[in-house]
C-alpha cells in the first residue's frame, strides 16, 4: 500500500486495470489482489503476539483498516476500509496454525473511501471469493474516483491534471487440473473525464477529454507462494493480454500486455530474499493515463511512463522474531517506446528499508512501513503485506 514523500502530488496511481481498484491500490491492494494465504509462515506456530485470527475468521468480524495516504500523486489524506472475512463452506474453522499446513483462502467483502488535501477522493466496494477448494477464484471491484495528478511527458515537466470517473473490474480464474496454474477472463471498465489545469501538453497529440476504457482480456497465473500476503518462499507469475474495443464499450482501440514474476527464497533460518521483474507493453490508440509505467518504492509512478516499461527489484528480509521483520530493497526501471527509445530513456531507481508486524497470523497478514529514496525525493509507505502485486 503506497505511501508518499515530502513532495506534493506527483504520482499517478495504478490505472488501466488498477483504475478499477485505484483507492485500494493506494491503501491496501494486497487485500484485493493477493487475497489470502495458502500456507502459514513458518513462525506462525510459535508466535505469542497479539493476533486477530479467531475474531476475523470465526467470529464474523469486520476489520476496520485506517488508510493513511501520503501518496505523492494525490497528497496527504485519510480514509478507512471496512473488511469482512469469512472462510469457505468446506474450510475447517478449527484448523491449527501449524507450520506447513495448508490454510483456506478467506472470502473478503469490503467498502473503502479516502480523501486528500489535494481534493482527490475515491470510494469503492469489493468482493473476493473462492469455490471448490480454491479451484475457482473471483475478484470484483466497483468504484468512483476523482484524482488530481501530474503528467510529465517528454521533458519530464510536471503538468497537473484532473482524472475522474466510474471504474469497474471483474476477474474469474480457474485452476488447471491439480496444478498451480490458473487461467480465466478479466474485464476492466473506466468511464473517464480528463482536464489539464493549464492547457494540454504539446506532446499529447489528439487529446480527448471524455474517454471510456473498456478492456477484455485473458489472465494466466502461476502461484506456489507459501503465503499470498507476505511470502517467505515460492513464486508468483502472471501474464495478461487485454484488448480494448468498441464492442466492449471502449471509445478507442488498443492492446496491452503485461508479464510479471516474483520469487522468494529462504536463506538460512531467518533471512528471505525476494526478486521481482515486471513489464508492460502497449499498442494502438491508448489514452495517455492508461500507458504502462514504472512502479518502484521511492519513484513517483507515471513520472516514468511510455508505451512500454521494464522494472526489476530485489528485497532482503530479516525475521527478527516470529512477529517482527525488517527489510531492505532496491530496484531500477525504464519506460520507453514513444517519448524515448530504450537506450535514451531515463533510469528510474528506488531503494530503502522497512519493517512488518504479523497482524493476522492464520492468513499471514502483516502491516508496516517502508521508507524509500528515489530520484530527487524521499518517500514513505504504509504497507499491508508485500508491495509486490
Amino acid at each position: 500500500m503506497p505511501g508518499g514523500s515530502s513532495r506534493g502530488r506527483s504520482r499517478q496511481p495504478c490505472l488501466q486495470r488498477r483504475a478499477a481498484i485505484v483507492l485500494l491500490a493506494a491503501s491496501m491492494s494486497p487485500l484485493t489482489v493477493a487475497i489470502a494465504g495458502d500456507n502459514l509462515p513458518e513462525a506462525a506456530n510459535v508466535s505469542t503476539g497479539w493476533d486477530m485470527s479467531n475474531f476475523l475468521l470465526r467470529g464474523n468480524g469486520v476489520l476496520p483498516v485506517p488508510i493513511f495516504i501520503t501518496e505523492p500523486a494525490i497528497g496527504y489524506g485519510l480514509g478507512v476500509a471496512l473488511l469482512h472475512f469469512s472462510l469457505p463452506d468446506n474450510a475447517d474453522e478449527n484448523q491449527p496454525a501449524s507450520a506447513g499446513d495448508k490454510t483456506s483462502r478467506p472470502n473478503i467483502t469490503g467498502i473503502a473511501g479516502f480523501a486528500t488535501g489535494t481534493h482527490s477522493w475515491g470510494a469503492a466496494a469489493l468482493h473476493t471469493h473462492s469455490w471448490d477448494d480454491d479451484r475457482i477464484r473471483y475478484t470484483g471491484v466497483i468504484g468512483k474516483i476523482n484524482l488530481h495528478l501530474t503528467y510529465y511527458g517528454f521533458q519530464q515537466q510536471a503538468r497537473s491534471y484532473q482524472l475522474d470517473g466510474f471504474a469497474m473490474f471483474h476477474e474469474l480464474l480457474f485452476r488447471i487440473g491439480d496444478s498451480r496454474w490458473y487461467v480465466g477472463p478479466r474485464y476492466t471498465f473506466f468511464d473517464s473525464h480528463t482536464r489539464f489545469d493549464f492547457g494540454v501538453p504539446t506532446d499529447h497529440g489528439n487529446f480527448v477529454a471524455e474517454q471510456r476504457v473498456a478492456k477484455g482480456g485473458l489472465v494466466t497465473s502461476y502461484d506456489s507462494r507459501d503465503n499470498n500476503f507476505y511470502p517467505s518462499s515460492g513464486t508468483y507469475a502472471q501474464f495478461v493480454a487485454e484488448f480494448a474495443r468498441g464492442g466492449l464499450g471502449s471509445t478507442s482501440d488498443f492492446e496491452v500486455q503485461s508479464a510479471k514474476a516474483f520469487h522468494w527464497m529462504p536463506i538460512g533460518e531467518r533471512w528471505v530474499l525476494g526478486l521481482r521483474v515486471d513489464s508492460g507493453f502497449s499498442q494502438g490508440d491508448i489514452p495517455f493515463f492508461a500507458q504502462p509505467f514504472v512502479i518502484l518504492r521511492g519513484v513517483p509512478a507515471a513520472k516514468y511512463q511510455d508505451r512500454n516499461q521494464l522494472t526489476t527489484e530485489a528485497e532482503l528480509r530479516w525475521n527478527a522474531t516470529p512477529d517482527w521483520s525488517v527489510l531492505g530493497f532496491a530496484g531500477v526501471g525504464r519506460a520507453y517506446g514513444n517519448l524515448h527509445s530504450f537506450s535514451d530513456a531515463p533510469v528510474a531507481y528506488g531503494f530503502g528499508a522497512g519493517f512488518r508486524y504479523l497482524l493476522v497470523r492464520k492468513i499471514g497478514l502483516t502491516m508496516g512501513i517502508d521508507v524509500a529514496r528515489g530520484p530527487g525525493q524521499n518517500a514513505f509507505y504504509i504497507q499491508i503485506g508485500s508491495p509486490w502485486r
Side-chain angles (χ1 to χ4, degrees), residues 16 215-216 240-245 252-258 280-287 290-292 307-308:
Q16 308 170 26
K215 299 181 295 180
V240 183
E242 296 179 287
F243 303 86
R245 296 291 185 271
S252 60
D253 293 351
F254 62 91
E255 300 81 42
V256 179
Q257 306 85 38
S258 64
F281 309 93
S282 65
Q283 307 86 35
D285 188 18
I286 185 171
Q291 293 183 120
R307 285 282 182 172
N308 315 303

Side-chain angles (χ1 to χ4, degrees), residues 291-306:
Q291 293 183 120
F293 55 84
V294 173
I295 300 176
L296 285 170
R297 284 166 284 186
V299 174
K303 183 174 183 178
Y304 301 89
Q305 182 177 30
D306 209 325

Side-chain angles (χ1 to χ4, degrees), residues 14-22 29 32-34 139 167-169 171 186 188 213 215 236 238 240 242 260 389:
C14 303
L15 295 168
Q16 308 170 26
R17 161 195 168 203
R18 298 176 181 87
I21 54 175
V22 62
S29 56
T32 65
V33 181
T139 302
M168 178 172 58
F169 172 84
E171 182 178 274
R186 170 188 292 180
T188 304
V213 175
K215 299 181 295 180
Y236 178 79
Q238 184 186 77
V240 183
E242 296 179 287
K260 59 185 178 182
R389 39 190 164 271

Side-chain angles (χ1 to χ4, degrees), residues 268-297:
E269 295 183 356
R270 294 197 173 190
W271 294 88
V272 176
L273 176 64
L275 301 173
R276 168 195 172 213
V277 291
D278 195 322
S279 64
F281 309 93
S282 65
Q283 307 86 35
D285 188 18
I286 185 171
F288 76 96
F289 58 79
Q291 293 183 120
F293 55 84
V294 173
I295 300 176
L296 285 170
R297 284 166 284 186

Side-chain angles (χ1 to χ4, degrees), residues 2 46 49 97 124 144 232 243 251 281 298 341 371 382:
V46 296
K144 178 72 168 65
S232 295
F243 303 86
T251 54
F281 309 93
S341 66
V371 179
I382 298 174

Side-chain angles (χ1 to χ4, degrees), residues 345-365:
V347 177
Y349 66 87
F351 60 90
F355 72 89
R356 298 292 186 276
Y357 175 74
L358 185 59
L359 183 66
V360 185
R361 193 169 305 116
K362 285 186 181 280
I363 57 175
L365 178 62

